[in-house]
Amino acid sequence: GVLPIPDGRLWIHQVDDNQFRTYGIDGEFMGLVGREGQGPGEFNGMREFGWWGPGRDTIWVGDLNRRVSLFDANGEFVRSFPWVVAMHLEGFRVERPYLVLSDGTGLGRANHDELNDFRIVRYDLMNGRVQQELARLTRYDFTRFKIGNPRINGTTPLPIPDHELVAFAPNGRWLVIVDRAAVGTPDVGQLPVHAIALDGDTLWSRTFPYTPLEISQAERDSILDDR
């Protein structure tokens, strides 16, 4: 992850090292923020991070201690607090926030142990109380086509299998969801994209065409090597 700072600096998210590396506007290395550990300003398994609300003065970072740590834009530690795992409806569980709003509520993903779907909810980080369900999505690995052409009857993989593609606006007031249950055939299709406000209203829905292209085995091997 990369977080641009208003003065042109960049914070680079170094998950394996449990720290941020900061760089200046010309790319020069400026220093480190955080380190591995359990103490103030330290991390145990860094996770999501971002600006605290719409302002650009406080950065929040979550880690596997179920703790949110706050820093100013210069990397100085401010404070930390634990977040509560939230429960939603019957068996839905929110493990961690993906975005924190200025009022201290978070947007997160509620997963179910048995059902193959998830919900995007707004909840209180301190007590785990879910305030609002914004969207519900179902995971699909495959989609089935019933078309006259025998070549494309049966089951084919989706273009984006088993990924929850959700993006939050920087000010936290709306989110965009890509519906992976794309309509179409293996030759051509459309990805539905929805923008949803925090009150649950749909701001707009659009579809974007895509054409799957076969790649060679050499290209696949190169991609895997790069990863």
Side-chain angles (χ1 to χ4, degrees), residues 98-99 107 118 120 134-135 137 163-179 193-198 203-204:
Y98 281 80
L99 185 142
L107 299 182
F118 69 98
I120 301 295
L134 297 175
L137 291 92
H163 275 273
E164 300 80 27
L165 297 184
V166 180
F168 300 101
N171 60 15
R173 295 177 182 172
W174 53 287
L175 59 151
V176 171
I177 296 175
V178 179
D179 187 350
V193 180
H194 313 285
I196 300 174
L198 284 191
L203 301 176
W204 50 260

Side-chain angles (χ1 to χ4, degrees), residues 94-106:
V94 186
E95 291 289 347
R96 61 185 186 273
Y98 281 80
L99 185 142
V100 179
L101 306 176
S102 56
D103 63 357
T105 60

Side-chain angles (χ1 to χ4, degrees), residues 100-156:
V100 179
L101 306 176
S102 56
D103 63 357
T105 60
L107 299 182
R109 187 183 71 205
N111 295 297
H112 196 283
D113 292 336
E114 298 178 3
L115 300 178
N116 198 32
D117 68 352
F118 69 98
R119 315 291 172 88
I120 301 295
V121 299
R122 181 176 184 175
Y123 72 104
D124 191 308
L125 299 182
M126 300 293 189
N127 58 30
R129 184 173 63 87
V130 173
Q131 299 181 357
Q132 190 178 13
E133 179 180 298
L134 297 175
R136 61 183 65 184
L137 291 92
T138 301
R139 291 186 176 92
Y140 297 93
D141 289 326
F142 296 90
T143 187
R144 190 172 298 276
F145 295 103
K146 294 295 182 182
I147 303 176
N149 187 341
R151 184 172 62 86
I152 56 176
N153 275 347
T155 302
T156 184

Side-chain angles (χ1 to χ4, degrees), residues 17-104:
D17 298 329
N18 280 293
Q19 62 186 194
F20 290 92
R21 297 176 187 168
T22 63
Y23 295 87
I25 192 169
D26 295 322
E28 71 276 16
F29 176 71
M30 303 291 291
L32 302 172
V33 177
R35 63 182 181 182
E36 186 169 357
Q38 307 286 338
E42 299 176 340
F43 306 112
N44 174 29
M46 296 170 67
R47 304 303 296 249
E48 283 71 27
F49 71 101
W51 293 108
W52 180 275
R56 293 292 184 269
D57 54 7
T58 303
I59 298 165
W60 72 276
V61 188
D63 68 4
L64 292 182
N65 290 325
R66 291 179 179 166
R67 176 181 60 181
V68 170
S69 298
L70 302 181
F71 296 82
D72 66 22
N74 293 318
E76 294 295 326
F77 174 74
V78 178
R79 66 185 177 95
S80 65
F81 61 89
W83 79 66
V84 176
V85 174
M87 300 303 298
H88 179 51
L89 300 177
E90 187 68 29
F92 284 89
R93 181 183 178 95
V94 186
E95 291 289 347
R96 61 185 186 273
Y98 281 80
L99 185 142
V100 179
L101 306 176
S102 56
D103 63 357

